[in-house]
């Protein structure tokens, strides 16, 4: 005898809205500035970290906590509400291993979607201004999560002003300001160009490859005095945004450099920039 059970529609996961569990913290790190804040409590507790290593409208974002352990698809819809429009972009997530705190990482995030002055021109990302920063109240993430998450981050003008001050101080302390850069006699030099190019090619985003999508990403890397890539900052990008994460992940994971050399003959911090073009054919 075969029993047929009635079908029930799948129940969508309830959206999660989390209030702050503490104030913003500013961290003057080695090679980068970070804003961090905790939200929620118990099993829903999460932390938001916003990193920046250079001037401009781009940020790197890391979100940690159990709510980010259940991702779906390859794109995340992210919006700084209530006024800024959402944008869709790729993300990197942790491999689910026992004892590992889930996290999501996104490179080249901006507070508002890129605009296109005319249909033939590339998208443009610009600063949104202090009044729009002050109007921000939430950060919402959906589509890429089984349960959408909204963080009540509050107005962002004050935290971002603190970030900008940190970036100015950081650039000066590492002698990466205009006066310091003038003292570099030899900039950072890549050591493993062929190996790195192969690394990027082997990790061409699969969906974009199948769709025939192309993209160009301009990156600025900070190279420390030992030749290590400490930060990857998106300097400019056209879309799809998936290429932002692919490029930065590749540089941070596989690129090797000889450090910059100063007028005293000693290795020192330096910038290295390039454009990475992804072509599907």
């Amino acid at each position: 005898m075969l029993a047929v059970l009635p079908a029930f529609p799948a129940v969508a996961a309830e959206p999660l809205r989390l209030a702050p569990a503490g104030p913003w913290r500013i961290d003057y790190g080695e090679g980068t500035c970070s804003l961090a804040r905790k939200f929620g409590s118990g099993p829903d507790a999460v932390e938001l970290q916003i990193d920046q290593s250079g001037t401009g409208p781009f940020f790197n974002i890391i979100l940690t906590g159990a709510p980010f352990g259940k991702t779906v698809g390859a794109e995340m819809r992210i919006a700084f509400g209530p006024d800024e429009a959402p944008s869709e972009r790729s993300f990197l997530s942790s491999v689910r291993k026992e004892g590992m705190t889930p996290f999501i990482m996104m490179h080249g995030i901006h507070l508002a979607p890129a605009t296109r002055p005319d249909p033939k021109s590339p998208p443009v990302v610009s600063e949104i201004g202090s009044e729009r920063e002050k109007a921000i109240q939430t950060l919402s993430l959906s589509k890429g999560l089984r349960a959408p998450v909204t963080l009540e981050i509050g107005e962002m003008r004050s935290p971002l002003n603190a970030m900008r001050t940190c970036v100015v101080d950081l650039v000066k302390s590492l002698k990466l300001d205009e006066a310091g850069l003038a003292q570099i006699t030899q900039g950072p030099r890549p050591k493993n160009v062929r190996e790195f190019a192969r690394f990027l090619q082997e990790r061409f985003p699969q969906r974009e490859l199948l769709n025939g999508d192309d993209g160009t990403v301009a990156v600025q890397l900070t190279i420390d005095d030992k030749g290590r890539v400490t930060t990857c900052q998106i300097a400019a990008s056209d879309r799809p945004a998936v290429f932002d994460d692919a490029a930065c992940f590749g540089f941070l994971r596989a690129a090797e450099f000889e450090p910059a050399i100063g007028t005293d003959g000693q290795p020192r911090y330096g910038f290295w920039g390039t454009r990475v073009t992804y072509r599907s054919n």
Side-chain angles (χ1 to χ4, degrees), residues 96-107:
R96 296 172 192 167
K97 293 182 179 179
E98 186 175 351
M100 176 182 286
T101 302
F103 72 86
I104 289 173
M105 179 183 295
M106 291 175 279
H107 296 89

Side-chain angles (χ1 to χ4, degrees), residues 61 73-78 87-93 104-109 141 144 205 207-208 239-247:
I61 287 182
E75 290 188 343
M76 186 75 66
R77 181 175 292 117
I78 179 170
S87 57
E88 294 187 3
R89 51 150 311 111
S90 65
F91 61 93
L92 303 173
S93 59
I104 289 173
M105 179 183 295
M106 291 175 279
H107 296 89
I109 291 294
L141 299 104
R207 190 174 71 171
E208 281 63 32
R239 292 301 178 254
V242 63
F243 296 125
D244 297 352
D245 288 312

